[in-house]
Coordinates of all heavy atoms in Angstrom, one line a residue:
M42 N -6.0 -2.4 -10.6 CA -4.6 -2.7 -10.7 C -4.2 -3.7 -9.6 O -4.3 -3.3 -8.4 CB -3.8 -1.4 -10.6 CG -2.3 -1.6 -10.5 SD -1.3 -0.1 -10.2 CE -1.4 0.7 -11.8
E43 N -3.9 -4.9 -9.9 CA -3.4 -5.9 -8.9 C -1.9 -5.7 -8.7 O -1.1 -5.6 -9.6 CB -3.7 -7.3 -9.4 CG -3.4 -8.4 -8.3 CD -4.1 -8.2 -7.0 OE1 -5.2 -7.7 -7.0 OE2 -3.5 -8.6 -6.0
L44 N -1.5 -5.7 -7.4 CA -0.1 -5.4 -7.1 C 0.6 -6.7 -6.7 O 0.2 -7.4 -5.8 CB -0.1 -4.4 -5.9 CG -0.8 -3.1 -6.1 CD1 -0.9 -2.4 -4.8 CD2 -0.1 -2.3 -7.2
S45 N 1.6 -7.0 -7.5 CA 2.4 -8.2 -7.2 C 3.8 -7.8 -6.9 O 4.5 -7.1 -7.7 CB 2.4 -9.1 -8.5 OG 3.4 -10.1 -8.3
T46 N 4.3 -8.1 -5.7 CA 5.6 -7.8 -5.2 C 6.7 -8.4 -6.2 O 7.7 -7.8 -6.4 CB 5.9 -8.2 -3.8 OG1 5.5 -9.5 -3.6 CG2 5.2 -7.2 -2.8
E47 N 6.4 -9.6 -6.6 CA 7.3 -10.3 -7.5 C 7.5 -9.5 -8.8 O 8.5 -9.4 -9.4 CB 6.9 -11.7 -7.8 CG 6.9 -12.7 -6.6 CD 5.7 -12.5 -5.7 OE1 4.6 -12.0 -6.2 OE2 5.8 -12.8 -4.5
E48 N 6.3 -9.0 -9.3 CA 6.4 -8.2 -10.6 C 7.0 -6.9 -10.4 O 7.7 -6.4 -11.3 CB 5.0 -8.1 -11.1 CG 4.4 -9.3 -11.7 CD 2.9 -9.1 -12.1 OE1 2.4 -8.0 -12.1 OE2 2.3 -10.2 -12.4
L49 N 6.8 -6.3 -9.2 CA 7.3 -4.9 -9.0 C 8.8 -5.0 -8.6 O 9.5 -4.0 -8.9 CB 6.6 -4.3 -7.8 CG 5.2 -3.7 -8.2 CD1 4.5 -3.2 -7.0 CD2 5.3 -2.6 -9.2
E50 N 9.3 -6.0 -8.0 CA 10.6 -6.1 -7.5 C 11.6 -5.8 -8.6 O 11.7 -6.5 -9.6 CB 10.9 -7.4 -6.8 CG 12.2 -7.5 -6.0 CD 12.0 -7.7 -4.6 OE1 11.0 -8.4 -4.3 OE2 12.8 -7.2 -3.8
G51 N 12.4 -4.8 -8.4 CA 13.4 -4.4 -9.4 C 12.9 -3.8 -10.6 O 13.6 -3.4 -11.5
R52 N 11.6 -3.7 -10.8 CA 11.0 -3.1 -12.0 C 10.4 -1.7 -11.7 O 10.2 -1.0 -12.7 CB 9.9 -4.0 -12.5 CG 10.5 -5.3 -13.0 CD 9.5 -6.2 -13.7 NE 8.9 -5.5 -14.8 CZ 7.7 -5.7 -15.2 NH1 6.9 -6.7 -14.7 NH2 7.1 -5.0 -16.2
F53 N 10.1 -1.4 -10.5 CA 9.6 -0.1 -10.3 C 10.5 1.0 -10.8 O 10.0 2.0 -11.4 CB 9.4 0.1 -8.8 CG 8.8 1.5 -8.4 CD1 7.5 1.8 -8.7 CD2 9.5 2.4 -7.8 CE1 6.9 3.0 -8.4 CE2 9.0 3.7 -7.5 CZ 7.7 3.9 -7.8
S54 N 11.8 0.8 -10.7 CA 12.7 1.8 -11.1 C 12.7 2.0 -12.7 O 13.2 3.0 -13.2 CB 14.1 1.5 -10.6 OG 14.5 0.2 -11.0
E55 N 12.2 1.0 -13.3 CA 12.1 1.0 -14.8 C 10.9 1.9 -15.3 O 10.8 2.2 -16.5 CB 12.0 -0.4 -15.4 CG 13.3 -1.2 -15.1 CD 13.1 -2.7 -15.5 OE1 12.1 -3.0 -16.2 OE2 13.9 -3.5 -15.1
L56 N 10.0 2.2 -14.4 CA 8.8 2.9 -14.8 C 9.1 4.4 -15.0 O 10.0 4.9 -14.4 CB 7.7 2.7 -13.8 CG 7.3 1.3 -13.5 CD1 6.3 1.3 -12.3 CD2 6.6 0.6 -14.7
T57 N 8.3 5.0 -15.8 CA 8.4 6.5 -16.0 C 8.0 7.2 -14.7 O 7.2 6.6 -13.9 CB 7.6 7.0 -17.2 OG1 6.2 6.7 -16.9 CG2 7.9 6.3 -18.5
V58 N 8.4 8.4 -14.6 CA 8.0 9.2 -13.4 C 6.5 9.3 -13.3 O 5.9 9.1 -12.2 CB 8.6 10.6 -13.4 CG1 8.1 11.5 -12.3 CG2 10.1 10.5 -13.3
S59 N 5.8 9.5 -14.4 CA 4.3 9.7 -14.4 C 3.7 8.4 -14.0 O 2.7 8.4 -13.3 CB 3.8 10.2 -15.7 OG 4.1 9.3 -16.7
T60 N 4.2 7.2 -14.4 CA 3.7 5.9 -14.0 C 3.9 5.7 -12.6 O 3.0 5.1 -11.9 CB 4.3 4.8 -14.9 OG1 4.1 5.1 -16.3 CG2 3.7 3.5 -14.6
R61 N 5.1 6.0 -12.1 CA 5.4 5.9 -10.6 C 4.4 6.7 -9.8 O 3.9 6.3 -8.8 CB 6.8 6.2 -10.3 CG 7.8 5.2 -10.8 CD 9.2 5.5 -10.4 NE 9.6 6.6 -11.1 CZ 10.8 6.8 -11.6 NH1 11.7 5.8 -11.4 NH2 11.2 7.8 -12.3
R62 N 4.1 7.9 -10.3 CA 3.2 8.8 -9.5 C 1.8 8.2 -9.5 O 1.1 8.2 -8.5 CB 3.1 10.2 -10.2 CG 4.4 11.0 -9.9 CD 4.3 12.4 -10.5 NE 3.3 13.2 -9.8 CZ 3.7 13.9 -8.7 NH1 4.9 13.8 -8.2 NH2 2.8 14.6 -8.0
A63 N 1.4 7.6 -10.6 CA 0.1 7.0 -10.7 C 0.0 5.8 -9.8 O -1.0 5.5 -9.1 CB -0.2 6.5 -12.2
L64 N 1.1 5.0 -9.7 CA 1.2 3.9 -8.8 C 1.1 4.3 -7.3 O 0.3 3.7 -6.5 CB 2.5 3.1 -9.0 CG 2.7 1.9 -8.1 CD1 1.6 0.9 -8.2 CD2 4.0 1.2 -8.4
V65 N 1.8 5.4 -7.0 CA 1.7 5.9 -5.6 C 0.3 6.4 -5.3 O -0.2 6.1 -4.2 CB 2.8 7.0 -5.4 CG1 2.6 7.6 -4.0 CG2 4.2 6.4 -5.5
D66 N -0.3 7.0 -6.3 CA -1.7 7.5 -6.1 C -2.6 6.3 -5.9 O -3.5 6.3 -5.0 CB -2.2 8.2 -7.3 CG -1.8 9.7 -7.3 OD1 -1.4 10.2 -6.2 OD2 -1.7 10.3 -8.4
H67 N -2.4 5.2 -6.6 CA -3.2 4.0 -6.5 C -3.0 3.4 -5.1 O -3.9 2.9 -4.4 CB -2.8 3.0 -7.6 CG -3.5 1.7 -7.4 ND1 -4.9 1.5 -7.6 CD2 -3.0 0.5 -7.0 CE1 -5.2 0.2 -7.3 NE2 -4.1 -0.4 -7.0
L68 N -1.7 3.3 -4.6 CA -1.4 2.8 -3.3 C -2.1 3.6 -2.2 O -2.7 3.1 -1.3 CB 0.1 2.8 -3.1 CG 0.9 1.8 -3.9 CD1 2.3 2.0 -3.7 CD2 0.5 0.4 -3.6
R69 N -2.1 4.9 -2.4 CA -2.8 5.8 -1.4 C -4.3 5.6 -1.4 O -4.9 5.5 -0.3 CB -2.5 7.3 -1.7 CG -1.0 7.6 -1.5 CD -0.7 9.1 -1.5 NE -1.3 9.7 -0.4 CZ -1.9 10.9 -0.4 NH1 -2.0 11.6 -1.5 NH2 -2.5 11.4 0.7
A70 N -4.9 5.4 -2.5 CA -6.3 5.1 -2.6 C -6.7 3.8 -2.0 O -7.7 3.7 -1.2 CB -6.8 5.2 -4.0
T71 N -5.8 2.8 -2.2 CA -6.0 1.5 -1.6 C -5.9 1.5 -0.1 O -6.7 0.9 0.6 CB -5.0 0.5 -2.2 OG1 -5.1 0.5 -3.6 CG2 -5.2 -0.9 -1.6
I72 N -4.9 2.3 0.4 CA -4.8 2.4 1.9 C -6.0 3.1 2.5 O -6.5 2.7 3.5 CB -3.5 3.1 2.2 CG1 -2.3 2.2 1.9 CG2 -3.5 3.6 3.7 CD1 -0.9 2.9 2.1
A73 N -6.5 4.1 1.8 CA -7.7 4.8 2.3 C -8.9 3.8 2.4 O -9.6 3.8 3.3 CB -8.0 6.0 1.4
D74 N -9.0 3.0 1.3 CA -10.1 2.0 1.3 C -9.9 1.0 2.4 O -10.9 0.6 3.1 CB -10.2 1.3 0.0 CG -10.7 2.2 -1.2 OD1 -11.2 3.3 -0.9 OD2 -10.4 1.8 -2.3
L75 N -8.7 0.6 2.6 CA -8.4 -0.4 3.7 C -8.7 0.2 5.1 O -9.2 -0.5 6.0 CB -7.0 -0.8 3.6 CG -6.7 -1.9 2.6 CD1 -5.2 -2.1 2.5 CD2 -7.4 -3.2 2.9
A76 N -8.4 1.5 5.3 CA -8.7 2.1 6.6 C -10.2 2.1 6.8 O -10.6 1.8 8.0 CB -8.1 3.6 6.6
Y77 N -10.9 2.4 5.8 CA -12.4 2.3 6.0 C -12.8 0.9 6.3 O -13.6 0.7 7.2 CB -13.1 2.8 4.7 CG -14.6 2.7 4.7 CD1 -15.4 3.6 5.4 CD2 -15.2 1.6 4.1 CE1 -16.7 3.4 5.5 CE2 -16.6 1.4 4.2 CZ -17.3 2.4 4.9 OH -18.7 2.2 5.0
D78 N -12.3 -0.1 5.6 CA -12.7 -1.5 5.8 C -12.3 -1.9 7.2 O -13.0 -2.7 7.9 CB -12.0 -2.4 4.8 CG -12.6 -2.2 3.4 OD1 -13.7 -1.6 3.3 OD2 -12.0 -2.6 2.4
L79 N -11.1 -1.5 7.7 CA -10.7 -1.8 9.1 C -11.6 -1.2 10.1 O -12.0 -1.8 11.1 CB -9.3 -1.3 9.3 CG -8.2 -2.0 8.5 CD1 -6.8 -1.2 8.6 CD2 -8.0 -3.4 9.1
A80 N -12.1 0.0 9.8 CA -13.1 0.7 10.7 C -14.4 -0.1 10.8 O -14.9 -0.3 11.9 CB -13.3 2.1 10.3
V81 N -14.8 -0.5 9.6 CA -16.1 -1.3 9.6 C -16.0 -2.6 10.3 O -16.9 -3.0 11.0 CB -16.5 -1.5 8.1 CG1 -17.6 -2.6 8.0 CG2 -16.9 -0.2 7.4
D82 N -14.8 -3.2 10.3 CA -14.6 -4.5 11.0 C -14.2 -4.3 12.4 O -13.9 -5.3 13.1 CB -13.5 -5.3 10.3 CG -14.0 -6.0 9.1 OD1 -15.2 -5.8 8.7 OD2 -13.3 -6.9 8.5
G83 N -14.2 -3.1 12.9 CA -13.9 -2.8 14.3 C -12.4 -2.8 14.7 O -12.1 -2.9 15.9
L84 N -11.6 -2.7 13.7 CA -10.1 -2.7 14.0 C -9.6 -1.3 14.0 O -8.6 -0.9 13.3 CB -9.4 -3.5 12.9 CG -9.9 -5.0 12.9 CD1 -9.3 -5.7 11.6 CD2 -9.4 -5.7 14.1
S85 N -10.3 -0.4 14.7 CA -10.0 1.0 14.7 C -8.6 1.4 15.2 O -8.1 2.4 14.9 CB -11.0 1.8 15.5 OG -11.1 1.3 16.9
D86 N -8.0 0.5 16.0 CA -6.6 0.8 16.5 C -5.6 0.8 15.3 O -4.5 1.4 15.4 CB -6.2 -0.2 17.6 CG -6.3 -1.6 17.1 OD1 -7.2 -2.0 16.4 OD2 -5.4 -2.4 17.6
L87 N -5.9 0.2 14.2 CA -5.0 0.1 13.1 C -5.2 1.3 12.1 O -4.4 1.5 11.2 CB -5.2 -1.2 12.3 CG -5.0 -2.4 13.1 CD1 -5.3 -3.7 12.2 CD2 -3.5 -2.5 13.5
I88 N -6.2 2.1 12.3 CA -6.5 3.2 11.4 C -5.5 4.3 11.5 O -5.0 4.8 10.4 CB -8.0 3.7 11.5 CG1 -8.9 2.5 11.2 CG2 -8.2 4.9 10.7 CD1 -10.4 2.8 11.5
P89 N -5.2 4.8 12.6 CA -4.2 5.9 12.7 C -2.9 5.7 12.0 O -2.4 6.5 11.2 CB -4.1 6.2 14.2 CG -5.4 5.8 14.8 CD -5.7 4.6 14.0
P90 N -2.3 4.5 12.2 CA -1.0 4.2 11.5 C -1.2 4.2 10.0 O -0.4 4.7 9.2 CB -0.5 2.9 12.0 CG -1.3 2.6 13.3 CD -2.5 3.4 13.2
M91 N -2.3 3.7 9.5 CA -2.6 3.6 8.1 C -2.7 5.0 7.5 O -2.2 5.3 6.5 CB -3.9 2.8 7.8 CG -3.9 1.4 8.2 SD -2.8 0.4 7.1 CE -3.9 0.1 5.8
L92 N -3.4 5.9 8.3 CA -3.5 7.3 7.8 C -2.2 8.0 7.8 O -2.0 8.8 6.9 CB -4.6 8.0 8.6 CG -6.0 7.4 8.5 CD1 -7.0 8.2 9.5 CD2 -6.5 7.4 7.1
V93 N -1.4 7.7 8.8 CA 0.0 8.4 8.8 C 0.8 7.9 7.6 O 1.4 8.7 7.0 CB 0.7 8.0 10.1 CG1 2.1 8.4 10.1 CG2 0.0 8.7 11.3
I94 N 0.7 6.6 7.3 CA 1.5 6.1 6.2 C 0.9 6.7 4.9 O 1.7 7.2 4.0 CB 1.4 4.6 6.1 CG1 2.2 4.0 7.3 CG2 1.9 4.0 4.8 CD1 2.0 2.5 7.5
N95 N -0.4 6.8 4.8 CA -1.0 7.4 3.6 C -0.6 8.9 3.4 O -0.2 9.3 2.3 CB -2.5 7.3 3.7 CG -3.2 7.2 2.3 OD1 -2.5 6.9 1.3 ND2 -4.4 7.4 2.3
D96 N -0.5 9.6 4.5 CA -0.1 11.0 4.5 C 1.3 11.1 4.1 O 1.7 12.0 3.3 CB -0.4 11.7 5.9 CG -0.1 13.1 5.8 OD1 -0.6 13.8 4.9 OD2 0.6 13.6 6.7
A97 N 2.2 10.2 4.6 CA 3.6 10.3 4.3 C 3.8 10.0 2.8 O 4.7 10.6 2.2 CB 4.4 9.2 5.2
L98 N 3.1 9.0 2.3 CA 3.2 8.8 0.8 C 2.9 10.0 0.0 O 3.5 10.3 -1.0 CB 2.3 7.6 0.4 CG 2.8 6.2 0.8 CD1 1.7 5.2 0.5 CD2 4.0 5.9 0.1
G99 N 1.8 10.7 0.4 CA 1.5 11.9 -0.3 C 2.5 13.0 -0.1 O 2.9 13.7 -1.1
S100 N 3.1 13.2 1.1 CA 4.1 14.2 1.3 C 5.4 13.8 0.5 O 6.1 14.7 0.1 CB 4.5 14.3 2.8 OG 3.3 14.7 3.5
L101 N 5.7 12.6 0.3 CA 6.9 12.1 -0.3 C 6.7 11.8 -1.8 O 7.6 11.2 -2.4 CB 7.5 10.9 0.4 CG 8.0 11.1 1.8 CD1 8.3 9.8 2.4 CD2 9.1 12.1 1.8
M102 N 5.5 12.2 -2.4 CA 5.2 11.8 -3.7 C 6.3 12.1 -4.7 O 6.7 11.3 -5.5 CB 3.9 12.5 -4.2 CG 3.6 12.3 -5.6 SD 2.9 10.6 -6.0 CE 1.3 10.8 -5.4
D103 N 6.8 13.4 -4.7 CA 7.8 13.8 -5.6 C 9.1 13.0 -5.4 O 9.7 12.5 -6.4 CB 8.2 15.2 -5.5 CG 7.0 16.1 -6.0 OD1 6.2 15.6 -6.9 OD2 6.9 17.3 -5.6
E104 N 9.5 12.8 -4.2 CA 10.8 12.1 -3.9 C 10.6 10.6 -4.3 O 11.6 10.0 -4.9 CB 11.1 12.1 -2.4 CG 11.6 13.5 -2.0 CD 10.4 14.4 -1.6 OE1 9.2 14.1 -1.8 OE2 10.7 15.5 -1.1
I105 N 9.5 10.0 -4.0 CA 9.3 8.6 -4.4 C 9.3 8.4 -5.9 O 9.8 7.5 -6.4 CB 8.0 8.0 -3.8 CG1 8.1 8.0 -2.3 CG2 7.7 6.6 -4.3 CD1 6.8 7.7 -1.6
S106 N 8.7 9.4 -6.6 CA 8.6 9.3 -8.0 C 9.8 9.6 -8.8 O 10.1 9.0 -9.9 CB 7.5 10.2 -8.5 OG 6.2 9.9 -8.0
E107 N 10.7 10.4 -8.2 CA 11.8 10.9 -9.0 C 13.2 10.6 -8.4 O 14.2 10.7 -9.1 CB 11.7 12.5 -9.1 CG 10.4 12.9 -9.9 CD 10.2 14.4 -9.8 OE1 11.0 15.1 -9.3 OE2 9.1 14.8 -10.3
A108 N 13.2 10.2 -7.1 CA 14.5 10.1 -6.4 C 15.2 8.7 -6.7 O 14.8 8.0 -7.6 CB 14.3 10.3 -4.9
D109 N 16.2 8.5 -5.9 CA 17.0 7.3 -6.0 C 16.0 6.0 -6.1 O 15.1 5.8 -5.3 CB 17.8 7.1 -4.7 CG 18.6 5.9 -4.7 OD1 19.6 5.7 -5.4 OD2 18.2 5.0 -3.9
T110 N 16.3 5.2 -7.1 CA 15.4 4.1 -7.4 C 15.3 3.1 -6.3 O 14.3 2.5 -6.0 CB 15.7 3.5 -8.7 OG1 17.1 3.1 -8.7 CG2 15.5 4.4 -9.9
S111 N 16.4 2.8 -5.6 CA 16.4 1.7 -4.6 C 15.6 2.2 -3.4 O 14.8 1.5 -2.8 CB 17.8 1.4 -4.1 OG 18.5 2.5 -3.6
Y112 N 15.7 3.5 -3.1 CA 14.9 4.1 -2.0 C 13.4 4.0 -2.4 O 12.5 3.6 -1.6 CB 15.3 5.6 -1.9 CG 14.4 6.5 -1.1 CD1 14.4 6.4 0.3 CD2 13.6 7.4 -1.7 CE1 13.6 7.3 1.1 CE2 12.8 8.3 -1.0 CZ 12.8 8.2 0.4 OH 12.0 9.0 1.1
S113 N 13.0 4.4 -3.6 CA 11.7 4.3 -4.1 C 11.1 2.9 -4.1 O 10.0 2.7 -3.7 CB 11.6 4.9 -5.5 OG 12.0 6.3 -5.5
D114 N 11.9 2.0 -4.6 CA 11.5 0.6 -4.7 C 11.2 0.1 -3.3 O 10.2 -0.6 -3.1 CB 12.6 -0.3 -5.3 CG 12.7 -0.1 -6.8 OD1 11.9 0.6 -7.4 OD2 13.7 -0.6 -7.4
E115 N 12.0 0.4 -2.3 CA 11.8 -0.1 -0.9 C 10.5 0.4 -0.4 O 9.7 -0.3 0.3 CB 13.0 0.3 0.0 CG 14.2 -0.6 -0.2 CD 13.9 -2.1 0.0 OE1 13.2 -2.4 1.1 OE2 14.3 -2.9 -0.8
I116 N 10.2 1.7 -0.6 CA 9.0 2.3 -0.1 C 7.8 1.7 -0.7 O 6.8 1.3 -0.1 CB 9.0 3.8 -0.3 CG1 10.0 4.5 0.6 CG2 7.6 4.4 0.0 CD1 10.2 6.0 0.4
I117 N 7.8 1.5 -2.0 CA 6.7 0.9 -2.7 C 6.5 -0.5 -2.3 O 5.3 -1.0 -2.0 CB 6.9 1.0 -4.3 CG1 6.9 2.5 -4.7 CG2 5.8 0.2 -5.0 CD1 5.7 3.2 -4.4
L118 N 7.5 -1.3 -2.3 CA 7.4 -2.7 -1.9 C 6.9 -2.9 -0.4 O 6.0 -3.7 -0.2 CB 8.7 -3.4 -2.1 CG 9.1 -3.6 -3.5 CD1 10.6 -4.2 -3.6 CD2 8.2 -4.5 -4.3
A119 N 7.4 -2.0 0.5 CA 6.9 -2.1 1.8 C 5.4 -1.7 1.9 O 4.6 -2.3 2.7 CB 7.7 -1.1 2.7
T120 N 5.0 -0.8 1.1 CA 3.6 -0.4 1.1 C 2.7 -1.5 0.5 O 1.6 -1.8 1.1 CB 3.4 0.9 0.3 OG1 4.2 1.9 0.8 CG2 2.0 1.4 0.3
V121 N 3.2 -2.1 -0.5 CA 2.4 -3.3 -1.1 C 2.3 -4.4 0.0 O 1.2 -5.0 0.2 CB 3.1 -3.8 -2.3 CG1 2.5 -5.1 -2.8 CG2 3.0 -2.8 -3.5
R122 N 3.4 -4.6 0.7 CA 3.3 -5.7 1.8 C 2.3 -5.3 2.9 O 1.6 -6.1 3.4 CB 4.7 -5.9 2.4 CG 5.6 -6.6 1.4 CD 7.0 -6.9 2.0 NE 7.9 -7.3 1.0 CZ 8.9 -6.6 0.6 NH1 9.2 -5.5 1.1 NH2 9.7 -7.1 -0.4
L123 N 2.3 -4.0 3.2 CA 1.4 -3.5 4.2 C -0.1 -3.7 3.8 O -0.9 -4.2 4.5 CB 1.6 -2.0 4.5 CG 0.5 -1.4 5.4 CD1 0.6 -1.8 6.8 CD2 0.7 0.1 5.3
I124 N -0.3 -3.4 2.5 CA -1.7 -3.6 2.0 C -2.1 -5.1 2.0 O -3.2 -5.4 2.4 CB -1.7 -3.0 0.5 CG1 -1.7 -1.5 0.6 CG2 -3.0 -3.5 -0.2 CD1 -1.5 -0.8 -0.7
R125 N -1.2 -5.9 1.6 CA -1.5 -7.4 1.6 C -1.7 -7.9 3.0 O -2.6 -8.7 3.2 CB -0.3 -8.2 0.9 CG -0.3 -8.0 -0.6 CD 0.7 -9.0 -1.1 NE 0.5 -9.0 -2.5 CZ 1.4 -9.6 -3.3 NH1 2.5 -10.2 -2.9 NH2 1.2 -9.6 -4.6
T126 N -0.9 -7.5 3.9 CA -1.1 -7.9 5.3 C -2.4 -7.4 5.8 O -3.2 -8.2 6.5 CB 0.0 -7.4 6.2 OG1 1.3 -7.9 5.7 CG2 -0.1 -7.8 7.6
S127 N -2.8 -6.2 5.5 CA -4.1 -5.6 6.0 C -5.2 -6.4 5.4 O -6.2 -6.7 6.1 CB -4.2 -4.1 5.7 OG -3.1 -3.4 6.3
R128 N -5.1 -6.7 4.1 CA -6.2 -7.5 3.5 C -6.3 -8.9 4.1 O -7.4 -9.3 4.3 CB -5.9 -7.6 2.0 CG -6.2 -6.3 1.2 CD -6.0 -6.5 -0.3 NE -6.3 -5.3 -1.0 CZ -5.9 -5.1 -2.2 NH1 -5.0 -5.9 -2.9 NH2 -6.2 -4.0 -2.8
A129 N -5.2 -9.5 4.4 CA -5.2 -10.8 5.0 C -5.9 -10.7 6.4 O -6.7 -11.6 6.8 CB -3.8 -11.4 5.1
L130 N -5.6 -9.6 7.1 CA -6.2 -9.5 8.4 C -7.7 -9.3 8.3 O -8.4 -9.9 9.1 CB -5.6 -8.2 9.1 CG -6.1 -7.9 10.5 CD1 -5.7 -9.0 11.5 CD2 -5.4 -6.6 11.0
L131 N -8.1 -8.6 7.4 CA -9.6 -8.4 7.2 C -10.2 -9.8 6.8 O -11.3 -10.1 7.3 CB -9.8 -7.4 6.1 CG -9.6 -6.0 6.5 CD1 -9.7 -5.1 5.2 CD2 -10.6 -5.5 7.5
T132 N -9.5 -10.5 5.9 CA -10.1 -11.8 5.5 C -10.1 -12.8 6.7 O -11.1 -13.5 6.9 CB -9.2 -12.4 4.4 OG1 -9.2 -11.5 3.3 CG2 -9.7 -13.7 3.9
E133 N -9.1 -12.8 7.5 CA -9.1 -13.7 8.7 C -10.2 -13.3 9.6 O -10.8 -14.2 10.2 CB -7.7 -13.6 9.4 CG -6.6 -14.4 8.7 CD -5.3 -14.3 9.4 OE1 -5.3 -14.0 10.6 OE2 -4.3 -14.6 8.7
G134 N -10.4 -12.0 9.8 CA -11.4 -11.6 10.7 C -12.8 -12.0 10.3 O -13.6 -12.5 11.1
V135 N -13.0 -12.0 9.0 CA -14.3 -12.5 8.4 C -14.4 -14.0 8.6 O -15.5 -14.5 9.1 CB -14.4 -12.2 6.9 CG1 -15.6 -12.9 6.3 CG2 -14.5 -10.7 6.7
T136 N -13.3 -14.7 8.4 CA -13.3 -16.2 8.6 C -13.6 -16.5 10.1 O -14.4 -17.3 10.4 CB -12.0 -16.8 8.2 OG1 -11.8 -16.4 6.8 CG2 -12.0 -18.3 8.3
M137 N -13.0 -15.8 11.0 CA -13.1 -16.0 12.4 C -14.6 -15.7 12.8 O -15.2 -16.5 13.6 CB -12.1 -15.2 13.2 CG -10.7 -15.7 13.1 SD -9.5 -14.6 13.8 CE -10.1 -14.5 15.5
Q138 N -15.1 -14.7 12.3 CA -16.5 -14.3 12.7 C -17.5 -15.4 12.1 O -18.5 -15.7 12.8 CB -16.9 -12.9 12.1 CG -16.1 -11.8 12.8 CD -16.3 -10.5 12.1 OE1 -17.0 -10.4 11.2 NE2 -15.7 -9.4 12.6
T139 N -17.2 -15.9 11.0 CA -18.0 -16.9 10.4 C -18.0 -18.2 11.2 O -19.1 -18.8 11.4 CB -17.6 -17.2 8.9 OG1 -17.6 -16.0 8.2 CG2 -18.5 -18.2 8.3
I140 N -16.9 -18.6 11.7 CA -16.7 -19.8 12.5 C -17.5 -19.7 13.8 O -18.2 -20.7 14.2 CB -15.3 -20.1 12.8 CG1 -14.6 -20.5 11.4 CG2 -15.1 -21.3 13.8 CD1 -13.1 -20.6 11.5
H141 N -17.5 -18.6 14.4 CA -18.2 -18.4 15.7 C -19.6 -18.4 15.4 O -20.6 -18.6 15.8 CB -17.8 -17.1 16.4 CG -16.4 -17.2 16.9 ND1 -15.4 -16.4 16.4 CD2 -15.8 -18.0 17.8 CE1 -14.2 -16.7 17.0 NE2 -14.5 -17.7 17.9

């Protein structure tokens, strides 16, 4: 599932509760994978915040899936941005290592 903030913006609230839950599960799995990748790349200082965010998403699953749509949209969009930023950081790290 490729996540596009442009596609999600304003549309997350249109999804069914079960689809929103599946999306949050997907985001949590992606964050867990990124935490592992960050560890492999030696960026261990970023792992604890990623795990806290992942835990918060799990704790707020029902609220995110069923609550006020603007609240849910903001959480999902912020999480997607975090994932994209983390992926970019990993990509830049690989590029920098390659140059040296």
Side-chain angles (χ1 to χ4, degrees):
M42 174 185 284
E43 184 59 32
L44 304 170
S45 167
T46 49
E47 294 78 24
E48 291 175 5
L49 284 175
E50 191 116 32
R52 294 187 55 206
F53 180 71
S54 56
E55 297 172 9
L56 301 175
T57 64
V58 171
S59 61
T60 303
R61 288 185 289 221
R62 289 183 73 82
L64 178 58
V65 173
D66 280 339
H67 175 73
L68 292 172
R69 292 188 71 219
T71 302
I72 289 173
D74 290 344
L75 280 172
Y77 175 80
D78 292 342
L79 290 168
V81 168
D82 278 8
L84 300 169
S85 58
D86 57 324
L87 299 176
I88 296 170
M91 295 290 275
L92 296 178
V93 168
I94 291 167
N95 211 17
D96 186 49
L98 284 173
S100 297
L101 296 171
M102 174 74 78
D103 291 335
E104 290 86 351
I105 294 170
S106 299
E107 300 170 6
D109 176 76
T110 55
S111 62
Y112 166 78
S113 298
D114 286 352
E115 284 300 314
I116 291 172
I117 296 302
L118 291 173
T120 304
V121 170
R122 288 183 191 112
L123 171 70
I124 290 169
R125 284 188 169 170
T126 301
S127 299
R128 284 181 177 160
L130 180 62
L131 287 169
T132 302
E133 285 180 19
V135 170
T136 303
M137 290 170 55
Q138 292 172 1
T139 304
I140 293 172
H141 290 114

